[in-house]
Amino acid sequence: MKKKSVNLITAVGVLVVLSGAYVGVKAYVAKQEAADTESAEEENPEIISIASADVKSIKFVIDKKEVTFEKDGDSWVKSDETGFPVDQDKIDTLVSSLNSIKAERTLENVEDASEYELDQPDNTITVTTEDGETTVIQLGMENDSTSQEYIDLNKDSSTVYVVSNSTFSSFEGTLYDFAKSGVFPTVDSSTVSKISVDGKDSSYVVEKDENNFWNITGDGETEKADSAKATSLASTLSSVAYASYVNYNCAEDELSQYGLDKPYAEITVDYQEEVEKESTDDENEAENGVEEISEVSGDENQTDEKVDSETDGNESLDEAVDVADTEDSEAVENENTDETADDNVEAEDTDVTVSDDEAGAKTADTESTESSEDSEEESEPETEMVDRELVIQVGDQSSDGGRYARVNDSNEIYTISEDSLDTFLGKTNADFWDLTVSYLSVNNLDTLDVNYGEKDYIVNVSRETSEDENVETSDNETEDEDTTDDTSSDVADGNDVEGNAADDNVSSGDLTDEDTENTDDSSSTASTTSSTSLTLSYTLNGKDLDSTTFTTFYNKLINMTAQKRLTDEFKSNADPEMTVKFTDIDGNEMEVEYYSYDTNYYAAVINKKVYLVNKMTVKELFQAFESVTGEKEKNESAETADPETNVSTDNAETETTETSEDVEE
């Protein structure tokens, strides 16, 4: 027991010693850290400390000229040009950089300031505070290897301070780096209807027609434009931005400095902008009229309630019933409760009697709802679309790799990168040509004349319209499964020809509402819907033609897209391998001829326009038409025929003489 007590006392003593050692070490470390901090502060003393709020003006060199910005109230202005659009945030940033500047090294007793280029400083910053005190900072040589810069204070070059070369970086730049730049106008590309480019190299107009299709006009000719290319051109407007600010108030006689007296190009964009609709005086008068009528009605109701005679009471009752029919309120507030309730029940053919308290509650709820709706309408003002025009004048090339530009005859001059402008400039109408060879929706096709393999074929299109009347349904139910549109019928009949063809389908639905009587405060409305479906059928030279086979060929025909168009005259010594003439339901005709051009292309000629189409694509078109005529099956049969008899082993006993002749051909 005595031995255990000795061990415990020993352990406690060791613990006390260790605790003391820990406290001592901690105190030493804290003292050492304080010493290091003090030493660091001595090594990096604060040499400039100017509070931003105390600065009255600041002057420094910009573009080799001294420029002074001074406080005018809460804003910074350029002292010699108060109209200059000073970037307030930029000046605040460089002023705040003077709050605390520490020297990384201090060189004392400097005899030759030129060693640090302080005899001809790169910039001189003069800061004047509200109390008139001035601090002058001269910036000398930069040491690129150490990323440091040499400065002196108040033109005393005997003491030179070494600071980080980023300390005064906010003072660098051109004058317009300290200007508040405008923002390029925002254009919603979906509202663009026209883009005109008038340039020295080329001019063209891309414009939407009344059917919302893009057309391209150039060299005096207008034709359909490639929708994707035109849409992409319009979309580019959303990414156009100013590169740099050049002049905030350019006079007319200064435009020649930027090549804007005779612009290199002018881009005009017609678009629409959504703006808040302003209320007219008539609308205000109408609203005031309604309020006056309401006030008069309220006064009349109060007067009627004060009438004690039975006759006047009945007249008051009639007016209350009228109000109940329109606003579902106030009718039951008449003192003659029993008679009024009975009259209201008989007038409305209902079994419901409303008490005064309930009517008052309903009236309050109605007024609350109307007030809430009015508040929502007031919080969401009406908007309207208004026409806008954006005009971009493009001038000479600028030093930053862009071009000078001004927008909508503004006095402000900016630069815009050539990457943004190249989307519009240097283009011709040929860059926007639609390369679809011949498109006509099958729904508008009447006849198709084809010459292929020195044979003539004619496909006639027949149409049958039918109406399906749906079962009677209530307002809350819709018999979707009974509604048929042209697109679905075309799919069923094999007539789903290309995406755009569906747009030409004619479908209609007539909705007939039948009102039923209201019973026990419940109502239902029955409706009958009908839809019109169009079924197409085809014949080839008077014989029925399989719809799927024909539409497979027709899809390839109307979706034929060229890789490019020839601008040179095209002549061929050979006859076309296929000639197709479209006749639409209005009697309009369109003819396209396919010639072998070279090893890579076929030439598709239509209306003197020559499209170069991939040769394999045209070969697939020919094969699809051979399936329509049955020639493909005959050729395949000929390839598998017995070589000795030249007759198909499968059909030797059944082939007719006419079929054999076709095989030989």
Side-chain angles (χ1 to χ4, degrees), residues 474-476 514-526:
S474 67
D475 286 344
N476 297 328
E514 296 179 0
D515 297 333
T516 60
E517 295 183 356
N518 297 331
T519 304
D520 295 335
D521 287 350
S522 64
S523 63
S524 63
T525 301

Side-chain angles (χ1 to χ4, degrees), residues 254-491:
E254 296 177 327
L255 291 174
S256 58
Q257 300 178 24
Y258 311 106
L260 290 168
D261 55 332
K262 297 178 181 179
Y264 171 75
E266 186 170 279
I267 304 169
T268 304
V269 181
D270 293 346
Y271 67 103
Q272 287 190 319
E273 182 181 14
E274 185 177 16
V275 299
E276 184 176 333
K277 186 176 181 180
E278 295 182 359
S279 60
T280 63
D281 294 337
D282 292 340
E283 291 175 344
N284 293 332
E285 290 176 1
E287 292 177 357
N288 293 335
V290 171
E291 292 176 357
E292 291 174 359
I293 292 173
S294 299
E295 292 175 359
V296 171
S297 299
D299 294 338
E300 290 178 352
N301 290 336
Q302 292 176 0
T303 302
D304 291 337
E305 290 176 358
K306 295 179 180 179
V307 177
D308 296 331
S309 65
E310 183 177 356
T311 302
D312 293 339
N314 292 332
E315 292 176 355
S316 176
L317 173 61
D318 293 337
E319 291 179 359
V321 171
D322 291 338
V323 174
D325 291 338
T326 57
E327 300 180 1
D328 293 334
S329 63
E330 297 185 6
V332 295
E333 293 182 1
N334 194 285
E335 293 180 359
N336 300 323
T337 306
D338 295 337
E339 295 178 1
T340 303
D342 293 339
D343 291 341
N344 288 338
V345 170
E346 293 176 0
E348 297 179 356
D349 292 333
T350 63
D351 296 330
V352 179
T353 301
V354 183
S355 66
D356 290 345
D357 293 339
E358 292 173 342
K362 289 182 178 180
T363 302
D365 292 340
T366 302
E367 292 175 351
S368 176
T369 302
E370 291 175 352
S371 176
S372 176
E373 292 175 353
D374 291 341
S375 299
E376 292 178 359
E377 291 177 358
E378 291 176 0
S379 63
E380 297 180 2
E382 293 184 8
T383 60
E384 61 181 347
M385 302 299 291
V386 296
D387 294 333
R388 297 287 192 228
E389 184 180 70
L390 171 68
V391 180
I392 310 170
Q393 291 182 326
V394 182
D396 295 338
Q397 290 182 322
S398 57
S399 58
D400 61 0
R403 283 187 176 272
Y404 296 110
R406 72 167 179 167
V407 174
N408 294 337
D409 292 330
S410 170
N411 292 332
E412 297 183 345
I413 308 299
Y414 296 89
T415 64
I416 298 178
S417 70
E418 282 202 285
D419 288 342
S420 297
L421 295 173
D422 283 347
T423 307
F424 303 92
L425 307 180
K427 298 287 191 296
T428 66
N429 58 327
D431 292 307
F432 299 96
W433 280 338
D434 180 17
L435 295 180
T436 302
V437 176
S438 54
Y439 177 82
L440 176 65
S441 170
V442 71
N443 296 293
N444 294 326
L445 179 67
D446 184 39
T447 60
L448 188 73
D449 295 84
V450 182
N451 179 277
Y452 178 69
E454 299 182 355
K455 291 184 180 181
D456 292 326
Y457 303 88
I458 181 170
V459 176
N460 288 284
V461 182
S462 299
R463 292 168 173 78
E464 181 178 351
T465 303
S466 61
E467 287 193 9
D468 297 329
E469 187 171 297
N470 293 340
V471 297
E472 190 173 281
T473 60
S474 67
D475 286 344
N476 297 328
E477 298 177 352
T478 302
E479 298 292 341
D480 293 336
E481 63 273 16
D482 292 336
T483 302
T484 306
D485 57 23
D486 291 331
T487 304
S488 61
S489 68
D490 283 350
V491 173

Side-chain angles (χ1 to χ4, degrees), residues 215 231 271 363 442 510 531 596:
N215 293 316
T231 301
Y271 67 103
T363 302
V442 71
D510 298 328
S531 62
S596 180

Side-chain angles (χ1 to χ4, degrees), residues 221-250:
E221 295 184 357
T222 299
E223 59 181 281
K224 185 179 179 181
D226 185 290
S227 177
K229 293 178 181 178
T231 301
S232 176
L233 183 71
S235 299
T236 303
L237 291 165
S238 61
S239 61
V240 176
Y242 295 132
S244 60
Y245 203 177
V246 178
N247 193 330
Y248 83 96
N249 189 21
C250 180

Side-chain angles (χ1 to χ4, degrees), residues 622-642:
F622 293 166
Q623 292 174 2
F625 186 69
E626 290 172 0
S627 296
V628 172
T629 63
E631 292 294 327
K632 182 177 181 181
E633 289 75 8
K634 294 176 183 178
N635 293 336
E636 292 176 349
S637 177
E639 292 176 359
T640 58
D642 189 304

